[in-house]
Structures are given as C-alpha cells and as structure tokens.
Amino acid sequence: MYKGSARAYTNIALIKYWGKKNEELILPMNNSLSLTLDAFYTETSVTFEPNQTADHFVLDGVVQDEKATKKISRFLDLAREKAQVNWGAVVESRNFVPTAAGLASSASGLAALATASNAALNLGLDDRGLSRLARRGSGSACRSLFPGFVEWEQGEDDETSFAQQIPSNDWEQDLAMLFVLINDQQKDVSSRDGMRRTVATSSFYPGWLASVPTDLAHAKSAIATQDFTALGEVTEANGLKMHATTLGAVPPFTYWSPDSLVAMNLVRQLRQIGLECYFTMDAGPNVKVLCQRKDEDALKQALSQHFAPERLILAHAGYGATVI
Ligand SMILES: O=C(O)C[C@@](O)(CF)CCOP(=O)(O)OP(=O)(O)O
C-alpha cells in the first residue's frame, strides 16, 4: 500500500506574488513574502494503486469532476515521474475552513498533497524539493511548507525557485490576522487568470513590478527589527499596488466589492484613533487585517460593529506542513 497523509496550513502574502515569467514551471516575476497561519488548513491523503491507472479526487467528501481531477492528475504526474511509476491514485482532501469562509485555499491543498505524495511514494524530497514540487501545483503553495515568515525566492528555473523560512525569533507569535469574510456573489477572476491578464495587458504592471524589490527589503528589515509599523505599512501599500494593476488590465477588473472598501476604510479609521492595524487582499473580496496580538480583541470588537461575528475569523502564526 503506497499511502501518505499530510496537513498543511494556508499562508497570506504580505509582499505579493502576482505574475509568472514561466507558466509551465510556475516561475514568478518577483520574490514574495508570506505569513503561514493556523486558522485554515487542509488534510490530504493519497493512495497510489499499482494495478490502477485512473486518478480519483474527493474533496470534502464530494467526488470531483473531470476538470478538477485533471488538475490533480497533472500534479500527481510529477510525483509519478520522480518515482518512475504510472500508478493511479485516490486523493482525499478536506479543507478545514470556517463554513462561511468560501476560502478554498489552493496553497494549503497543494502543499498537503506534495507532502503526502512524498511520503506515499517515498520520494525522499527535502524541504527545498518539496517546496519546488508544491510550486508546480500552485505558486503560493510553495510557501505553505514552512511556518512563520516565508520568502519565495523567484529563481531562474525549476531548480532555483523555492521558498524558505525567514529567521524571526518567533516574532510572528506576537501578531494576529483578522479575516473579514465578505460574502460576495460575483464570480471572481481566479488568481491564475487574473495575474495572466494583468501581466499581458496592464500598463500599471511594470510600475508594480519595479516597486516590489524595495517593498521586500523593507518587509525583511521590519521583521529583523520587529518593527510592526514598518511591516504593516509596507504590507498595506504592496497589496494596494498589486490590486491597482488589475484596474489597468484589458478588460479591467477588480477583486474589491463594496464591503471590501467598507473594511479598508474602517481599518484606516481605527489606525487614526490609535488602534494600529493594516489590511491586505488577495484574489477575492475578503479583507485580511494584520495587527499585534495585544490589539486583536479591540480590533475584532470594532469590526463587529459592521460585520457579523461569524464573518470575523482570527488567525495566528501557523505551522509547517507535516505528515500525519
Ligand atoms: O499569495 C500571493 O502571493 C498573492 C495572491 O494570493 C494574490 F491573489 C496570488 C496567489 O496566486 P496562486 O493562487 O498561487 O496562483 P497560481 O500559481 O497560478 O496557482
């Protein structure tokens, strides 16, 4: 029986990955930096069957359609190639996210699948090898292998593009991230499609890309000096610039919904009255608010004046992917 199971946690980028220089290998245009969180995780088991060739994918108890299964199969082919086998597999994944979330994070899912495949096929991959394998499933997944603050080195090719943890003296334990879950019916443009369109057509993209190295340096120095204000400011600015690129795409699009703007404005108002907090957003309307742990209750209290409590999820620093 060639079976492996793993758990991996989602991560939120403070300095965003937004654009690929190589779609096939998922090589990014820039380095990114994230914080691995504890609130959302995925548990995945994979069982390779020597006398089967078809793959089956069950997500949260539901057998997935051909399109979703094909995406998993393409990833499993990488593991099969490394093991020199052509065995079919059954993948069972469970996302542990609050029901209201709608936060199906591919990052934790693919990081868990890479870790589970490594165990099932006894591939013997080290952290770097695992990060490179997860990257082939979804770019941000390469960061979910590790706890704390994580930097994805963009690299030049498959060998040199991987993530690693940034030394922080556990400062991340002093921080918190409050997820404001905006229920938005509108179908978002996927992160993959959004970054593809933006790179190809947005006149704002070059300006964004040119600003990332400086933002990254500021974020890393803020972590080294445990300067929350500096980390918050660069996080909020970098996220806003990333989202600005979508407005210049052809056709233009935005991930922001009216309630996203309400949340962003509330964060600015709270800062003005001395509750230090900063927001960031990804490929969806949800708003993530970075604060210090000592302020998390005041922040949640303030936002619950405008958002129902079940839509406010507090997260803290998470853990690296593990075999379970
Ligand atoms: O996480 C970040 O750095 C920023 C984003 O979340 C902003 F939306 C993008 C994540 O993109 P992902 O889903 O990894 O894309 P893939 O490589 O096409 O699968």
Side-chain angles (χ1 to χ4, degrees):
M1 174 82 94
Y2 298 88
K3 179 170 183 176
S5 299
R7 178 185 305 132
Y9 293 80
T10 197
N11 70 81
I12 296 298
L14 308 181
I15 303 296
K16 302 295 185 188
Y17 149 53
W18 191 243
K20 297 179 180 69
K21 60 187 172 201
N22 180 313
E23 289 260 352
E24 166 65 24
L25 294 175
I26 306 193
L27 302 180
M29 287 280 206
N30 57 272
N31 283 29
S32 57
L33 187 152
S34 61
L35 179 58
T36 300
L37 298 170
D38 63 353
F40 311 118
Y41 60 93
T42 304
E43 290 185 350
T44 295
S45 74
V46 57
T47 309
F48 288 90
E49 309 275 2
N51 47 18
Q52 262 194 14
T53 50
D55 291 328
H56 298 281
F57 177 32
V58 182
L59 176 62
D60 294 332
V62 178
V63 178
Q64 298 299 294
D65 64 15
E66 195 181 334
K67 184 166 176 268
T69 306
K70 264 201 173 24
K71 190 174 171 188
I72 290 289
S73 292
R74 275 199 301 277
F75 181 78
L76 291 172
D77 285 345
L78 298 166
R80 284 187 273 251
E81 192 186 325
K82 286 180 187 296
Q84 293 295 299
V85 298
N86 63 352
W87 305 334
V90 175
V91 175
E92 290 174 287
S93 227
R94 191 166 291 285
N95 280 326
F96 291 81
V97 295
T99 40
L103 270 174
S105 150
S106 67
S108 56
L110 274 304
L113 183 55
T115 307
S117 302
N118 184 42
L121 293 174
N122 211 0
L123 299 176
L125 295 175
D126 61 7
D127 279 352
R128 182 172 297 187
L130 267 178
S131 185
R132 289 174 44 225
L133 177 60
R135 191 202 75 237
R136 297 291 303 274
S138 177
S140 55
C142 77
R143 303 182 309 231
S144 272
L145 275 302
F146 310 103
F149 292 106
V150 180
E151 179 179 5
W152 174 9
E153 171 53 54
Q154 61 177 298
E156 286 310 315
D157 52 25
D158 181 39
E159 286 289 314
T160 54
S161 186
F162 55 85
Q164 55 195 356
Q165 191 174 0
I166 297 174
S168 63
N169 286 327
D170 282 343
W171 181 47
E172 63 272 11
Q173 299 303 329
D174 298 346
L175 306 182
M177 189 170 271
L178 186 69
F179 283 65
V180 185
L181 302 181
I182 311 286
N183 61 338
D184 195 74
Q185 307 319 324
Q186 148 220 359
K187 178 89 191 71
D188 289 324
V189 177
S190 74
S191 45
R192 189 161 294 186
D193 292 340
M195 63 175 81
R196 184 183 294 127
R197 187 193 311 175
T198 305
V199 170
T201 64
S202 176
S203 54
F204 300 159
Y205 188 77
W208 142 261
L209 192 59
S211 78
V212 174
T214 305
D215 287 355
L216 186 73
H218 287 162
K220 290 169 79 171
S221 103
I223 291 166
T225 57
Q226 303 196 359
D227 181 340
F228 178 70
T229 301
L231 183 65
E233 286 174 345
V234 74
T235 293
E236 189 167 296
N238 184 266
L240 284 168
K241 288 184 285 182
M242 177 221 130
H243 283 273
T245 64
T246 70
L247 300 176
V250 178
F253 67 102
T254 180
Y255 289 108
W256 298 357
S257 70
D259 271 353
S260 308
L261 291 165
V262 168
M264 290 190 251
N265 288 329
L266 279 171
V267 167
R268 289 190 190 97
Q269 286 160 24
L270 288 170
R271 256 202 317 267
Q272 274 151 18
I273 60 169
L275 204 173
E276 201 175 2
C277 52
Y278 301 87
F279 61 78
T280 188
M281 291 180 65
D282 295 295
N286 296 329
V287 177
K288 293 102 180 187
V289 188
L290 183 69
C291 72
Q292 295 170 103
R293 209 161 179 151
K294 65 182 176 62
D295 295 329
E296 67 184 31
D297 292 337
L299 175 64
K300 187 164 183 178
Q301 175 60 35
L303 291 177
S304 61
Q305 313 298 317
H306 303 265
F307 295 96
E310 65 271 13
R311 297 209 167 272
L312 299 174
I313 313 282
L314 206 48
H316 299 109
Y319 315 95
T322 53
V323 172
I324 49 178

